Amino acid sequence: DTGITRYTYDVVVIGAGGAGLRAAIAAREQGKRTAVISKSLFGKAHTVMAEGGAAAALGNANPSDAWPVHFRDTIRGGKFLNDPRMAELHAREAPERILELEHWGALFDRTADGRISQRNFGGHEYPRLAHVGDRTGLEMIRTLQQRIVALQQADAAELGDPEARLRVFAETAVTELVTDGGRIAGAFGYRRADGGFVVFEAPAVVLATGGIGKAFRTTSNSWEYTGDGHALALRAGASLINMEFVQFHPTGMVWPPSVKGILVTESVRGDGGVLRNSEGRRFMFDYVPDVFRSQYAETESEADGWYDDPANHRRPPELLPRDEVARAINNEVKEGRGSPHGGVFLDVSTRLPAEEIRRRLPSMHHQFKELADVDITAEPMEVGPTCHYVMGGVRVDADTAASDVPGLYAAGEVAGGMHGSNRLGGNSLSDLLVFGRRAGLAAAAYADGPGRGAVAGEAVDRVAAASARYALEFLKQGGGENPYTLHAELQDTMNDLVGIIRRGPEMAEAIARLDSLGERSSVLSAPGDRVYNPGWHLALALPNMILVSRAITAAALEREESRGGHTRDDFPAMSAEWRRVNLEVRADRADRVTLARRPVADIPAALLALFEREELSKYLTEEELPGQDGADA
Ligand code: FAD
């Protein structure tokens, strides 16, 4: 007996991070019966880990800030590959979404005159990040959950049941979307705690499952990021774009293994920390690219002078953009000059008095002491690049977050287009609010509309029964592969062959290895029963990671240029022709991927006029450039 529990909703939201919660609130506010499903505990999502803040052109810290400036920064950060309509909606609506959060009870840090305080961040022209100390994500989740409880209390008063129109299913993982005649009909999954199966009949599903970091060996992401939403969308017939763009943060912890990849904030370098190799050399001086040479110091004494007298000194090369630093560290390690645990040394202990380090970097001090038994006031840290964020995701309509499968919507990190080839810090939290809300509204409207599928009871039962049988296969004893072994092989493949620096032949090798892993993953064994069996959970998530890895690798091999989060050793330059191309990935029934080229939407002339012609000429082809004294000059 597979014992499948069945539920019926108007809108099912998969994921309870910022995007999922905001979507669920919007759908419920439209009066729709809404379910929110999360495979982690309610309240644990990547959103909760976000520190720096949420970007929104409120103009509180600098009145010159306005949405067009935020738009321009976002397009620059994404190297002109962003979906311009998404970047516009995001910049226009982020302030309203932040104020709404405040209205719902979020306690942001304040300016002296009592408005929401805003901090500086990389790539943002003005101080723009609304924040709550270094715990902004926690406050965002707390506020959205509080809003959900308020709506449930309203339903308790009106209908006698707090869950009448909004119910949370925590520790429940969705493994399959149900479609009927090409439309969404529901979702199937299991409860992690007892292994019981659940199926949701629903005309509209919002994917808000976050990212894919666990496909890589070293990542700042936690266990939930197995690319489930990306894979579910592909298998339901939707497409992904920009999958070749993966953001690597230069400094994550490398030791001990249990904490490898955990972020080490950029502030360590901003406050004077320097990078050294095993020979004690400050190697970043060897990696200043020509385009930056005039802005960065050539000697250690010049670099050191910058901290106290920036007007008369050039910046230390440790503060080059993140992708440059990540590539340099990667190269030092590859050439045998790494630290004992495969990173490099980041040293602040010889640069600042212990007291000062404890005052400026309290959480880093605590993190290294607790997790690695390293006292950063007395010894160097070992750090290396870590997979942090995926720019690629479900191709959606900018206004509605609709995928090209009727009834399927996607918002947050699982959606693609908004960030182009590289996301600016702070632009994710605001993205979640803007597009989470839009997805919830559009899903609610669809659930009401004439386009929704007829009730697909039979299709739902059929898929549920098949999915349950498939899931139970893994529990059978004997013979099959160990999911943990395959996962480790997958992570090594992606880290070593499709990581920060990519080369054609290595990616071709990765594709062959992924094919073999794909075959082997069909005969996994996770002996035991259905009650909290982590091996079984991994066996169910592994095919998703393999599919997403295939999408990343195929797109990365195809794109013969370097841009943002995609660096090709064999094609180091950025190409204006490639800027016009989005690579779209689809999958067949056997999880094999195919690629198609789609034109990137044009930036409307009025918004193109925000940029100088000289800057545009670095990105656009000659024919795309506005005239010398053109209409928008
Ligand atoms: P998440 O918040 O990760 O939520 C995903 C949800 O989906 C979870 O509830 C998960 O359980 C659920 N889920 C996944 N798969 C399934 C499934 N199969 N079935 C059911 N549920 C599923 N961004 C910023 O803008 N500013 C910052 O300061 C910042 N700092 C960061 C610091 C760290 C350490 C990290 C890792 C990221 C940071 N980011 C920051 C990025 C940002 O936090 C994330 O991109 C964002 O929170 C993603 O939100 P989301 O709603 O898309 O997904």
Side-chain angles (χ1 to χ4, degrees):
D1 168 32
T2 49
I4 303 169
T5 312
R6 191 186 176 112
Y7 302 92
T8 305
Y9 283 92
D10 299 317
V11 176
V12 166
V13 179
I14 307 173
L21 295 182
R22 189 62 191 82
I25 290 166
R28 160 60 188 80
E29 284 179 342
Q30 296 301 300
K32 292 290 152 281
R33 294 193 65 245
T34 305
V36 189
I37 309 173
S38 112
K39 75 177 181 183
S40 35
L41 288 167
F42 196 49
K44 165 67 191 79
H46 281 78
T47 303
V48 104
M49 295 154 75
E51 297 160 5
L58 292 159
N60 290 353
N62 187 324
S64 300
D65 202 10
W67 77 261
V69 189
H70 191 183
F71 170 85
R72 184 171 62 197
D73 291 343
T74 300
I75 297 283
R76 279 180 181 149
K79 301 238 161 68
F80 281 70
L81 205 78
N82 318 56
D83 177 314
R85 177 72 182 155
M86 288 179 93
E88 179 185 345
L89 289 172
H90 168 257
R92 277 183 188 271
E93 294 180 5
E96 217 176 303
R97 298 281 76 76
I98 293 295
L99 293 173
E100 175 182 72
L101 268 196
E102 181 177 52
H103 182 68
W104 290 342
L107 296 167
F108 289 103
D109 289 353
R110 302 270 138 199
T111 60
D113 61 353
R115 291 173 302 154
I116 294 173
S117 164
Q118 300 193 267
R119 69 157 50 119
N120 276 310
F121 231 60
H124 294 281
E125 187 164 339
Y126 299 114
R128 191 177 280 146
L129 270 65
H131 57 96
V132 185
D134 61 2
R135 302 193 175 91
T136 312
L138 175 63
E139 182 67 355
M140 180 180 277
I141 286 285
R142 188 196 67 74
T143 306
L144 293 171
Q145 287 189 345
Q146 182 174 301
R147 178 74 189 147
I148 285 193
V149 170
L151 290 167
Q152 289 178 324
Q153 282 172 344
D155 283 347
E158 186 187 330
L159 305 164
D161 174 8
E163 294 184 329
R165 286 186 291 196
L166 184 50
R167 179 165 171 189
V168 177
F169 295 81
E171 294 208 277
T172 302
V174 171
T175 57
E176 185 103 32
L177 294 178
V178 185
T179 54
D180 187 29
R183 294 170 181 284
I184 285 295
F188 171 87
Y190 66 96
R191 290 186 298 263
R192 291 171 58 83
D194 64 6
F197 293 121
V198 288
V199 69
F200 297 83
E201 194 176 317
V205 166
V206 178
L207 292 172
T209 49
I212 57 96
K214 279 292 168 188
F216 289 79
R217 187 174 60 224
T218 305
T219 175
S220 65
N221 296 173
S222 57
W223 66 269
E224 306 99 299
Y225 267 16
T226 51
D228 295 359
H230 291 76
L232 292 172
L234 281 175
R235 295 197 193 104
S239 64
L240 310 181
I241 57 165
N242 290 347
M243 289 306 289
E244 63 274 38
F245 299 109
V246 177
Q247 187 171 73
F248 292 87
H249 194 290
T251 59
M253 295 178 78
V254 295
W255 184 260
S258 60
V259 301
K260 189 166 179 165
I262 287 186
L263 266 202
V264 178
T265 173
E266 197 165 320
S267 322
V268 176
R269 282 171 286 137
D271 285 355
V274 292
L275 291 163
R276 292 188 196 278
N277 63 18
S278 58
E279 295 161 5
R281 182 171 171 74
R282 254 178 97 174
F283 58 84
M284 280 310 300
F285 286 98
D286 305 334
Y287 291 91
V288 183
D290 284 344
V291 286
F292 291 121
R293 200 168 296 284
S294 63
Q295 300 155 41
Y296 286 83
E298 275 167 47
T299 62
E300 294 200 23
S301 64
E302 185 185 3
D304 289 347
W306 177 84
Y307 293 99
D308 294 325
D309 182 15
N312 293 307
H313 296 81
R314 291 177 294 180
R315 294 158 71 85
E318 279 85 1
L319 294 176
L320 276 158
R322 282 180 182 178
D323 52 341
E324 306 290 351
V325 183
R327 279 190 289 267
I329 294 174
N330 191 66
N331 198 53
E332 287 298 303
V333 176
K334 256 199 170 165
E335 299 207 338
R337 294 187 293 274
S339 64
H341 300 109
V344 293
F345 296 106
L346 172 59
D347 183 22
V348 70
S349 68
T350 55
R351 313 273 303 166
L352 290 175
E355 241 346 85
E356 193 66 0
I357 294 171
R358 273 193 291 269
R359 191 179 68 77
R360 292 200 206 184
L361 301 165
S363 52
M364 282 303 108
H365 182 248
H366 180 82
Q367 178 173 313
F368 273 89
K369 194 75 210 131
E370 291 294 313
L371 300 178
D373 198 22
V374 166
D375 178 358
I376 69 168
T377 66
E379 50 194 324
M381 300 162 245
E382 278 184 78
V383 296
T386 182
C387 173
H388 188 52
Y389 184 90
V390 65
M391 271 66 72
V394 181
R395 194 176 74 81
V396 289
D397 172 67
D399 290 74
T400 60
S403 74
D404 43 19
V405 173
L408 185 63
Y409 301 80
E413 195 169 333
V414 71
M418 161 65 207
H419 305 286
S421 69
N422 175 49
R423 176 183 68 93
L424 289 185
N427 267 2
S428 176
L429 292 188
S430 40
D431 165 1
L432 311 181
L433 297 172
V434 168
F435 294 104
R437 170 180 163 278
R438 283 183 165 270
L441 290 177
Y446 174 86
D448 266 346
R452 69 169 281 178
V455 172
E458 237 183 86
V460 172
D461 290 336
R462 200 173 53 243
V463 173
S467 303
R469 274 198 306 277
Y470 166 81
L472 291 173
E473 279 294 308
F474 294 125
L475 295 173
K476 293 185 181 154
Q477 292 278 0
E481 296 261 5
N482 179 330
Y484 291 97
T485 308
L486 254 63
H487 189 200
E489 286 183 34
L490 170 70
Q491 292 180 316
D492 286 347
T493 299
M494 293 307 287
N495 238 83
D496 298 342
L497 304 178
V498 201
I500 301 166
I501 311 287
R502 296 163 174 179
R503 297 173 184 90
E506 290 184 355
M507 288 186 283
E509 161 74 19
I511 286 175
R513 285 202 209 167
L514 291 169
D515 284 346
S516 145
L517 287 167
E519 266 169 43
R520 289 163 65 195
S521 70
S522 62
V523 284
L524 296 171
S525 285
D529 63 22
R530 286 157 68 177
V531 176
Y532 214 99
N533 177 345
W536 186 42
H537 302 164
L538 181 60
L540 289 166
L542 198 55
N544 298 341
M545 284 187 272
I546 294 172
L547 174 54
V548 165
S549 299
R550 283 174 155 168
I552 293 170
T553 310
L557 182 57
E558 181 85 355
R559 182 175 285 274
E560 295 185 332
E561 67 156 352
S562 294
R563 179 184 299 274
H566 171 63
T567 305
R568 290 281 303 250
D569 203 33
D570 39 3
F571 296 94
M574 199 159 61
S575 141
E577 287 301 336
W578 269 108
R579 193 214 62 87
R580 309 176 78 173
V581 179
N582 274 150
L583 290 173
E584 184 178 41
V585 184
R586 288 184 186 276
D588 68 9
R589 284 171 174 276
D591 274 2
R592 282 181 302 247
V593 298
T594 53
L595 288 176
R597 294 184 184 202
R598 264 189 175 268
V600 175
D602 288 336
I603 299 177
L607 293 174
L608 209 56
L610 292 165
F611 301 90
E612 299 285 338
R613 194 174 195 280
E614 196 204 327
E615 179 174 12
L616 292 178
S617 69
K618 292 184 192 158
Y619 295 99
L620 308 187
T621 59
E622 200 54 43
E623 72 185 84
E624 291 175 286
L625 284 173
Q628 287 286 14
D629 48 9
D632 42 17

